[in-house]
Amino acid sequence: MATLGVCFVIMLVALDQTIVGTALPTIVAELKGFDLYAWVATSYLLTSVITVPIFGRLGDYFGRKPFLIASIIIFVIASMLCGMANSMLFLVLARGLQGIGGGMLVGTAFASIADLFPDPHVRLRWQIILSASYGIATSVGPSLGGFLTQSLGWRWVFYVNLPVGIISLFFALRYLPHIRHIKHQGKIRLDWGGALLITIALGCLQLLVELLPRHGLSLSMLALMVVGVGAFLGLWKWEQRVEQPIVPFEMFRDPAMSSLFILSVLAGFAMFSMLMYAPLLFQGGFGMSPREAGLLVTPLVACITVASIVNGRIVTRIPNPNLMMYVGFLLIALSCLGIVLAQRGSPNSFILVTMLLGGLGLGLVLPNLTVFAQQSASREYLGIATALLQSLRMIGGMLGTAVTGTLVTQMYGSGVARALESDHAAQWLADFKDPEILVNHDIQSTLLAQMLQAGHNGSALLDAARDALVGAIHMGIALAIVAAVAGLWMVRRVPLIRFAARQKIEPVMSE
């Protein structure tokens, strides 16, 4: 029953991550303030990526139940405020509060399963249900968001979190035990300095990721980079002096943990590069409709869940569980290669197989990162190890999005500029600068009519812009191939993970 409650909690976060995107255009149309469009997502990511490691560690000290309950309450209240928003600024602030609750949920929910089931054989059987609940919520989110927005209004995209949150709260209060793994003789001193440095470091990284593709390597971006790097170095020095650090850096000296942390960054890099830019390639580069692109991307998301379930049945029964990670990173590399080789004339079956391979690869890598880390980390570091894996995957995703986004922006912009200059149509550069022109057919029709009146072949220039976008995304995804191959090489540094036939671990229980 406690695990069922954790499933609802995970569904709450997964649903919110995918349901809001569908409603965003409608929200902006009603509330105005297009300049804050991206910040509806950014404010959530910014606060959640900061709170994941902080509350993952605090859960080790104080037990996860209090933070799980607090996070559900914060998330539900923030969802209510999002639904009541009367301006974009109010919505952005409410999303920031929602991100705090979401980060606390991620930082505590995944580690709660390891608390409930210390035996990895039993834990993996139950994690199949967790993977299924996450996959169902992720798959249903976009279509549910569209249905609610069209039928009941965009505010119900946020209000739908209320019943799921209330059910989660009931199960957490009623059935989740209060487990603490660390006995303390004296008073626990909270590492406020570490929390502040984590906030500055990850905050600068997130802002850099959001702003760099748009503003380039300007003076302000360099300043932000310097502050972020300084905060990371300061965190490393500070945590070595503190008695009870939020991020115990001795974990990074463990060859298994350090390798798994690096693998999490590489997996996040490849995963977010595919998830963010494959749909843009299909719609903007290949000229597909949103529905066609959505059908082609669906296997990538769906197969993550399928492979996670299959992995849970296999990994404890083979002599070398690390083989699953090798297979996973190999499939991710092949999937990225397939995206790079895909062209406008490529058959849909080829693209479907490419997406399927990517989903299967991610489904073998992501759960095993968590399982291997929980198997390798000592009980006192269980929460922070699990939380750091989630944070580092998000950081890898942010890096992948930033690097690929910058590359796509620069290469697409220069390719379009060359095509327009060769046709003496440089005055239309502002209209072609944003790849949205390749996706929005209404804007395309208006622009093509204007260019025809001016004596330019708009269709040919549009095709040139599509080719520039395809080349730019191919180059960006090629970096994801490098990340996947680096992951394949890095797996060999992970010591052989062994699952004992039986484990007897007695945590410290308190209520």
Side-chain angles (χ1 to χ4, degrees), residues 19 33 71 111 170 186 215 243 245-246 250-251 263 287 344 354 365 387 391 463 481 508:
I19 199 172
S71 63
F170 167 76
H215 300 286
E243 189 180 344
I246 281 184
E250 59 262 31
M251 278 197 311
L263 287 170
R344 265 205 257 183
T354 296
V365 168
S391 289
D463 285 340
I481 298 176
V508 180

Side-chain angles (χ1 to χ4, degrees), residues 245-432:
I246 281 184
V247 181
F249 277 91
E250 59 262 31
M251 278 197 311
F252 290 84
R253 298 190 191 102
D254 182 294
M257 295 306 301
S258 60
S259 300
L260 290 169
F261 289 151
I262 294 170
L263 287 170
S264 191
V265 174
L266 294 171
F269 190 105
M271 175 183 177
F272 279 86
S273 295
M274 286 193 290
L275 284 173
M276 293 294 290
Y277 289 99
L280 181 61
L281 176 69
F282 299 154
Q283 289 186 60
F286 297 169
M288 295 180 183
S289 67
R291 181 175 169 276
E292 289 172 325
L295 286 173
L296 289 176
V297 174
T298 298
L300 180 64
V301 181
C303 286
I304 294 175
T305 305
V306 173
S308 298
I309 293 170
V310 173
N311 175 76
R313 306 292 296 178
I314 295 174
V315 73
T316 56
R317 302 181 184 185
I318 58 177
N320 186 356
N322 298 36
L323 282 173
M324 303 300 283
M325 296 280 277
Y326 281 109
V327 174
F329 274 106
L330 178 62
L331 290 176
I332 293 170
L334 289 173
S335 177
C336 293
L337 180 62
I339 294 172
V340 171
L341 294 175
Q343 300 293 336
R344 265 205 257 183
S346 298
N348 285 354
S349 57
F350 173 78
I351 298 173
L352 277 171
V353 170
T354 296
M355 294 289 101
L356 186 141
L357 290 177
L360 291 175
L362 289 167
L364 295 179
V365 168
L366 299 181
N368 281 329
L369 284 172
T370 303
V371 171
F372 289 8
Q374 290 175 348
Q375 197 67 8
S376 303
S378 60
R379 300 297 291 177
E380 61 180 302
Y381 295 146
L382 193 63
I384 186 60
T386 307
L388 274 175
L389 278 174
Q390 308 297 327
S391 289
L392 289 168
R393 189 174 75 201
M394 290 164 76
I395 288 170
M398 289 193 295
L399 290 172
T401 306
V403 173
T404 307
T406 304
L407 199 62
V408 167
T409 302
Q410 297 300 322
M411 287 187 65
Y412 170 76
S414 60
V416 165
R418 281 196 304 272
L420 291 173
E421 284 169 10
S422 66
D423 198 51
H424 306 291
Q427 69 269 28
W428 305 100
L429 183 60
D431 297 285
F432 279 90

Side-chain angles (χ1 to χ4, degrees), residues 73 94 192 202 263 339 345 356 435 447:
I73 293 169
W192 294 110
L202 294 180
L263 287 170
I339 294 172
L356 186 141
L447 182 64

Side-chain angles (χ1 to χ4, degrees), residues 11-13 15-16 19-20 75-76 78-80 95 98 156-168:
M11 286 182 75
L12 191 65
V13 179
L15 193 64
D16 189 75
I19 199 172
V20 176
F75 198 91
V76 167
S79 298
M80 219 158 59
R95 283 284 284 170
Q98 200 179 33
W156 280 93
V157 166
F158 298 104
Y159 290 149
V160 76
N161 290 331
L162 271 59
V164 183
I166 290 166
I167 293 169
S168 305

Side-chain angles (χ1 to χ4, degrees), residues 48 51-52 55-56 66-68 70-71 74 99-109:
S48 63
T51 49
V52 167
F55 288 97
F67 296 111
L68 197 65
S71 63
I74 292 170
I100 293 173
M104 290 171 69
L105 283 171
V106 171
T108 52

